[in-house]
Amino acid sequence: MTAAKMHSLGIHTGADLKERSLLELTHHFGKAGQYYYKIARAEDDRPVEANRVRKSIGAETSFARDLSDHSEMLQELEQIAQIVEQRLEQHETRGRTLTLKVKFSDYQQLTRSKTMLAPISELSRIFEIAKALFESIDPENRSIRLLGISLSNLDNAKQTQVIQLPLFQNRGVIF
């Protein structure tokens, strides 16, 4: 609707919008005209929201030389899992979806994910799941340039307390 109106007024780009006066834009678009006027001039006085909701926590390592030894790959994967566990602990959170990222020496990249019923944050579970996903991609006879693990579907541990609410309340007696 707004786009059609702008097009009918000859406004097709940000530069076209910037050429219009505040008076003209408020005449055609009401209060929104002031917003369009300011935004075309990069004026935005809304407060910056610095505390965005974190969607995932992870770590990855690019190797100085490509890894070709399977046991070395698993050793690196375990070290990455340790970093992820520390970051989860630092942010007091857990995750339900673990994603493994593997980049091969030819720059082909694969990701594999597994979603758990219950959130995880323990090193042993993170590594166990990451290792199973790693084995599923069959890395035999291929060199690896990068490994990464991330957890998403985060569950803030501070907010996971179960609160039992009363079903009925009668004269101060809670049932």
Side-chain angles (χ1 to χ4, degrees):
M1 188 82 144
T2 302
K5 189 170 186 178
M6 284 195 180
H7 290 166
S8 73
L9 295 169
I11 302 170
H12 300 282
T13 66
D16 295 338
L17 185 61
K18 191 174 180 183
E19 290 175 3
R20 305 305 169 109
S21 71
L22 177 59
L23 186 63
E24 182 182 0
L25 291 173
T26 52
H27 172 75
H28 290 290
F29 300 101
K31 282 184 180 180
Q34 184 175 6
Y35 171 77
Y36 300 140
Y37 180 84
K38 285 182 161 188
I39 213 73
R41 288 157 180 77
E43 296 174 20
D44 190 354
D45 53 6
R46 293 175 295 177
V48 174
E49 300 273 339
N51 294 327
R52 63 181 172 81
V53 175
R54 181 177 292 277
K55 301 214 187 267
S56 68
I57 290 181
E60 62 184 39
T61 301
S62 293
F63 307 109
R65 62 169 183 78
D66 297 343
L67 304 182
S68 53
D69 179 58
H70 188 78
S71 62
E72 192 177 2
M73 293 173 191
L74 291 178
Q75 185 179 356
E76 291 292 341
L77 195 63
E78 187 170 18
Q79 288 180 0
I80 296 166
Q82 287 174 350
I83 295 167
V84 171
E85 179 200 35
Q86 291 166 357
R87 289 179 180 172
L88 288 167
E89 199 173 280
Q90 177 184 353
H91 292 282
E92 297 182 27
T93 193
R94 305 172 297 180
R96 289 190 329 110
T97 301
L98 187 141
T99 301
L100 172 72
K101 178 178 174 181
V102 178
K103 188 180 286 185
F104 295 99
S105 58
D106 63 0
Y107 290 96
Q108 179 192 12
Q109 181 175 301
L110 295 176
T111 58
R112 296 291 183 266
S113 297
K114 182 172 178 102
T115 300
M116 312 306 291
L117 292 174
I120 60 167
S121 62
E122 308 79 28
L123 173 61
S124 60
R125 285 293 284 149
I126 294 168
F127 180 61
E128 173 190 345
I129 297 163
K131 183 179 174 186
L133 291 172
F134 182 73
E135 300 296 349
S136 77
I137 64 165
D138 191 26
E140 293 299 318
N141 302 322
R142 294 190 75 179
S143 296
I144 291 180
R145 176 162 302 226
L146 176 145
L147 285 172
I149 299 172
S150 66
L151 274 162
S152 55
N153 283 334
L154 298 180
D155 173 34
N156 189 327
K158 290 179 184 173
Q159 297 174 351
T160 58
Q161 298 172 348
V162 177
I163 299 170
Q164 179 66 47
L165 298 175
L167 293 176
F168 307 100
Q169 188 167 351
N170 187 7
R171 293 189 214 128
V173 178
I174 299 174
F175 297 93

